Amino acid sequence: MEHFDWTTPIAQIIRDGGGRGGLVTVFPEYRPDRFAALAAHLGFRSFDFRSEVMSKLGWDAEHLSLQDLNSTLSGLAIEGGTVVNNIEALLSTKSAQECAAWIDEFLATDWGHALVIPIVINAAQVPDDHPRVHRIPGDGLTEQSFLNRLVF
């Protein structure tokens, strides 16, 4: 039986925010299986930015801006709570300063419904003491099985 103790603080932050706004969850490692599990546990949609937006653009994805990301997020927020993974595919193309500024803006925006963004690569650009940031400790997740690694 799967235990979701690691999701409790995330769900509490969402409740404290009235089910609105941005939330960054810093994961200790890239775990798309846990991103999907988080969305399912919260009753949120799971949206893969890299797959749903960037991949569909092919080579033209290099022209995506952070404003394009914001436009996508605005559309998702209208539809309801969403866990939006793989935005780091775009964030990683920006400077550390641009990334940090975007994360600050994301956290300050009232998105309408809650948007949860898992961050791994750009963890250093996430503010340490922000009420809408949760950092999962290195030992906070169950180990990923070999079969699970093949699937995700």
Side-chain angles (χ1 to χ4, degrees), residues 3-117:
H3 293 284
F4 287 95
D5 294 343
W6 61 273
T7 66
T8 301
I10 300 164
Q12 186 61 52
I13 293 169
I14 292 168
R15 280 191 300 276
D16 290 348
R20 304 173 65 91
L23 164 67
V24 170
T25 302
V26 179
F27 279 75
E29 61 183 330
Y30 182 71
R31 291 288 302 270
D33 62 316
R34 299 295 80 197
F35 307 157
L38 175 61
H41 187 70
L42 295 172
F44 282 14
R45 174 182 181 189
S46 181
F47 185 87
D48 185 329
F49 182 77
R50 183 182 61 210
S51 173
E52 296 294 324
V53 177
M54 296 183 78
S55 292
K56 290 179 179 179
L57 293 174
W59 291 108
D60 289 331
E62 71 180 353
H63 301 294
L64 279 173
S65 68
L66 293 174
Q67 184 53 48
D68 295 321
L69 173 57
N70 288 341
S71 295
T72 298
L73 294 176
S74 292
L76 292 170
I78 290 169
E79 298 174 21
T82 309
V83 174
V84 186
N85 67 321
N86 286 326
I87 66 155
E88 289 181 291
L90 179 60
L91 290 182
S92 295
T93 68
K94 309 302 178 193
S95 71
Q97 294 80 13
E98 287 176 293
C99 180
W102 183 85
I103 290 171
D104 288 341
E105 177 186 330
F106 169 77
L107 290 168
T109 300
D110 181 358
W111 293 101
H113 285 92
L115 296 176
V116 181
I117 295 189

